[in-house]
Amino acid sequence: MKSILVTGSNGYIGRHVLPVLAKAGAQVVAVDRTIDESADADVRVAADIFDGDANILEAIGFVPDACLHLAWRNGFDHNDPSHMNDLSAHFSFLMDLAQAGVKQVAAMGSMHEVGYWEGAITSETPCNPQSLYGIAKNALRESLSVELPKLGTILQWIRGYYIYGDDENAQSIFGKLLRAAKEGNTSFPFTSGKNKYDFLPIDELARQIAAVVMQDEVTGIINCCSGNPVSLADQVEEFIRLHDLDIALEYGVFPDRPYDSPGVWGDATSINAILSALSK
């Protein structure tokens, strides 16, 4: 049984990953500031990983085989100062685990590390992040890539794209649409909607993340994605239709963000190989 410490276990992604890991036979250690006692986990720890005095390994009584690091504050506010303020705490926490004997770190990254890019993003795509969120994620990846190998710990950098599903609990455009419709709004201010992105349902993302951390042969940057670009307008209009929302998009009210490209998506080669190997 592989033991996996999951930070941010009560977050938007974490809540979906825990049951997939449990079903896969992992011993799951759920860590978050607040813990859902009904969560699919063998051990639950309420702790602030940014508190240098919080000794999580002492609390659980053993050193897990791997850490799946999902914890991150204000992920939907790309220029919140917390991204930079928390950077050293993320690094210190993961390095402390590696020094204690954790041999596998799988950390959640983002396509926003890359910055402006047109086309498929691979593990070799150069990074030039254009937001504090992207800068912090990229800096954490680069620093861990340098330091973890010195301790014999492998790094899997799980690069995420555009997520939807479980939208009532999300701060994405899909969650905002649901809340606007519930409040009785019949129009929703929108961008041009022309940009094409890689959209992935949260349940599929959870399946891909669990597959990554349950193995240790494929390492480095791993895109968890569909590999298929879809325009934002098409995805949102389809969402409105599927949920039968009485609301219309007001195109062009907001400008497109300058650091978003006309079309960007993930190269799914590595994740497809992982999923294929696990299915055999």
Side-chain angles (χ1 to χ4, degrees):
M1 180 182 292
K2 186 171 189 175
S3 55
I4 303 174
L5 188 158
V6 182
T7 69
S9 60
N10 198 34
Y12 176 57
I13 297 175
R15 290 194 305 273
H16 293 269
V17 174
L18 292 187
V20 184
L21 288 174
K23 187 176 180 180
Q27 180 184 18
V28 179
V29 180
V31 178
D32 210 318
R33 286 172 173 161
T34 58
I35 287 294
D36 179 358
E37 293 299 330
S38 65
D40 285 293
D42 299 280
V43 181
R44 303 175 185 89
V45 179
D48 184 352
I49 65 167
F50 297 148
D51 182 353
D53 295 328
N55 193 330
I56 293 171
L57 297 188
E58 184 177 298
I60 65 178
F62 63 92
V63 177
D65 298 313
C67 172
L68 173 57
H69 186 54
L70 301 176
W72 199 278
R73 292 196 296 160
N74 304 314
F76 286 98
D77 186 348
H78 288 174
N79 281 305
D80 192 288
S82 63
H83 301 309
M84 301 307 299
N85 294 337
D86 293 344
L87 177 56
S88 60
H90 286 285
F91 177 76
S92 295
F93 171 75
L94 294 173
M95 289 301 298
D96 286 348
L97 289 183
Q99 288 167 352
V102 175
K103 294 303 180 184
Q104 179 182 355
V105 169
M108 194 71 206
S110 168
M111 61 164 288
H112 293 291
E113 302 153 39
V114 174
Y116 190 91
W117 185 259
E118 296 184 29
I121 292 175
T122 72
S123 61
E124 303 300 321
T125 301
C127 293
N128 183 29
Q130 303 295 305
S131 66
L132 295 183
Y133 176 67
I135 291 168
K137 286 282 190 181
N138 192 53
L140 180 62
R141 177 184 61 82
E142 290 185 329
S143 57
L144 292 175
S145 297
V146 170
E147 294 300 316
L148 286 180
K150 297 177 182 178
L151 300 173
T153 298
I154 64 171
L155 173 64
Q156 295 164 319
W157 190 259
I158 302 169
R159 185 168 279 163
Y161 289 75
Y162 285 84
I163 313 164
Y164 67 97
D166 191 13
D167 299 292
E168 289 186 2
N169 296 309
Q171 294 303 313
S172 68
I173 186 172
F174 303 106
K176 292 175 182 177
L177 264 170
L178 286 179
R179 289 187 286 274
K182 190 174 183 179
E183 292 169 2
N185 296 325
T186 57
S187 63
F188 188 86
F190 198 51
T191 64
S192 72
K194 294 179 180 179
N195 302 69
K196 292 185 176 182
Y197 301 120
D198 193 318
F199 294 94
L200 197 67
I202 183 64
D203 290 339
E204 174 60 18
L205 176 65
R207 184 176 82 97
Q208 292 188 11
I209 290 173
V212 169
V213 74
M214 286 297 290
Q215 59 85 48
D216 57 14
E217 293 296 321
V218 181
T219 62
I221 297 172
I222 302 168
N223 291 318
C224 282
C225 61
S226 71
N228 299 311
V230 177
S231 77
L232 181 60
D234 286 348
Q235 189 72 33
V236 174
E237 293 283 10
E238 178 65 12
F239 180 86
I240 291 172
R241 285 192 293 271
L242 288 175
H243 290 79
D244 195 25
L245 302 181
D246 183 20
I247 196 167
L249 300 177
E250 291 184 74
Y251 287 97
V253 173
F254 295 125
D256 296 326
R257 294 183 302 198
Y259 54 87
D260 285 338
S261 78
V264 63
W265 59 94
D267 180 328
T269 302
S270 292
I271 190 60
N272 286 341
I274 292 170
L275 293 172
S276 177
L278 288 178
S279 66
K280 293 179 181 179

